Amino acid sequence: MFKDSSRCIVIVGAQWGDEGKGKITDVLAEQATLVARYQGGANAGHTVLVKDEEFILHLIPSGALVPDVKCVLGNGVVVDPWTLLDEIDVLEGRGIGITERLIVSRRAHLVMPYHRMLDGARESLRGEAKIGTTKRGIGPAYRDKVARTGLRVCDLEDLVGCESIVRAACQAANGLLQSWDLADRADPRRIMADLEAIVPRILPLAGDSGATLLKELNDDGRVLLEGAQGSLLDVDHGTYPYVTSSNTTAGAAAAGVGIGPTLIDGVLGVVKAYTTRVGNGPLPTELQGDEADLLRRLGAEFGATTGRPRRPGWYDGAVVRHAAAVNGLTALAVTKLDVLDTFEELKLGTGYTLDGGQLEIFPDRAPDLGRVEPVYETTAGWGSDTTGARSWEDLPGAARTYLERIEANAEVPIRYVSVGSARDQIVRVPIPRVA
Ligand code: GDP
Ligand code: IMO
Ligand code: MG
């Protein structure tokens, strides 16, 4: 993705998350000097395979597995400090030195135990209408941020001030829990004791993410801004209310680290060669029964954060076109092509109809998206193993046709095709292509 002139690239999921952003970020991080997360929190689960070792990162950027790459958690991330320290300890325990090259924005909001409690409680109250959240406290933490009642990393410098924020938040949370007839209560004294115990480890990591990135770019560094979740989970542009609580799309990247949007040179959209979703909400190309089981098994589609089975479906071009528009995608990385190797026939969604009419604009109401009929093109499968492909020419003709249909539908050029979870299982597609 990096051209001589490209110094700052956003990597964004163009479906419902789990597109393989971790793998693609790790591959591109070899040419980068700094990787930053700009939104979301430990609801993310980014898998990176280094040789035979699997790492699942929830908060720390996927550049962490490349030695010497600096890692930043931007101000737009909501940081559960206990999860962060566990993740650091696991990495350090596995021989990955991270502490010295990690910066956490002083402006980032903290996810506290009462946020997790409220996330779980709200979900249980919703019953059938539940969102299916990861229960990591993400929604309640962003709620406190916009309500201006949140606790930030920089607040840890003043434990007296901290305590008054925590007390007020616990009082509010306990009032809600009581009104819902739930027995759980947040204990401010215990929370403060647990927080005080980790302050000596968190504060040394705290810094200014914007200033760090500006310096990196001024020093000729190369920066990746790694999105979490996917564009269809964006709180504005996704399938509201079945979304996460942040702007996942590229427009949020600059604000989420504290630089100007004029410094961003390109936006890489990561798409699976098919579709998955974990949690509730409409999924127009969803497969059922044996076909769903087969795709889930072949793609090992189980959540990296919660272990929940993901809901699989055919590739949905309407989704990716919507993502291309709202992110301004400049290139695509198509992942998990190898998962489709054994299919005799593949269906590729090119658009939707609703009440008999062709839809030009992606539906904004979840119930409407739940009623659309996908329009499919059927293409022949390739029936051969693509996991060894390392160039466009190595890919079977039918696979290239499938990818070209994706490209034509999205009107965005494909720069990478991933054919396995390992680092080297990547096809770098030249632009323009010869074959
Ligand atoms: P992320 O959240 O977007 O980083 O994606 P996840 O890590 O949650 O899920 C993607 C899964 O697919 C992980 O288990 C990856 O190791 C795996 N993966 C990534 N790229 C490929 C690929 O090209 N082929 C196969 N078979 N697996 C892949
Ligand atoms: P990565 O970064 C897939 C989904 C949840 C739920 C909704 C809201 O690994 O792609 P939340 O806990 O954020 O309030 O849940 O969003 N969700 C994800 N789905 N991948 C993710 O992250 C997700 N993070 C949240 O399943 O439907
Ligand atoms: Mg994931």
Side-chain angles (χ1 to χ4, degrees), residues 17-21 43-47 57 229 303-305 310:
D18 302 327
E19 298 90 348
K21 299 175 293 295
N43 48 349
H46 296 176
T47 314
L57 301 164
Q229 290 80 55
T305 298
R310 295 175 184 149

Side-chain angles (χ1 to χ4, degrees), residues 22-44:
K23 145 117 196 212
I24 296 295
T25 304
D26 172 67
V27 167
L28 295 192
E30 288 187 2
Q31 295 157 271
T33 55
L34 186 152
V35 182
R37 281 270 309 268
Y38 60 87
Q39 46 68 234
N43 48 349

Side-chain angles (χ1 to χ4, degrees), residues 38 144 172-173 300 307 337-338 399:
Y38 60 87
D144 267 345
L337 184 74
D338 55 295

Side-chain angles (χ1 to χ4, degrees), residues 14-16 231-234 236-240 242-243 275 277 282-285 316-326 350-352 354 358-366 368-370 372 374 409:
Q15 293 156 323
W16 275 281
S231 304
L232 276 291
L233 290 171
D234 183 288
D236 285 292
H237 303 292
T239 48
Y240 193 90
Y242 301 100
V243 292
T275 309
R277 169 166 207 164
L283 180 57
T285 60
D316 187 337
V319 160
V320 179
R321 271 208 315 279
H322 176 60
V326 296
T350 56
Y352 300 141
L354 183 63
Q358 183 87 21
L359 277 189
E360 300 302 331
I361 292 180
F362 197 81
D364 45 23
R365 294 183 65 244
D368 287 344
L369 189 62
V372 299
N409 187 263

Side-chain angles (χ1 to χ4, degrees), residues 1-13 24 28 38 217 222-227 248-254 259-270 323-324 326-333 412-413 415-416:
M1 187 64 191
F2 282 112
K3 295 176 277 184
D4 282 345
S5 56
S6 302
R7 300 200 296 123
C8 184
I9 302 291
V10 182
I11 297 176
V12 72
I24 296 295
L28 295 192
Y38 60 87
L217 291 167
R222 291 179 170 218
V223 170
L224 296 174
L225 304 179
E226 180 189 11
T248 60
T249 43
I259 59 169
T262 45
L263 290 175
I264 293 173
D265 299 305
V267 183
L268 178 65
V270 185
V326 296
N327 287 291
L329 296 184
T330 55
L332 288 180
V412 181
R415 285 298 306 267
Y416 303 94

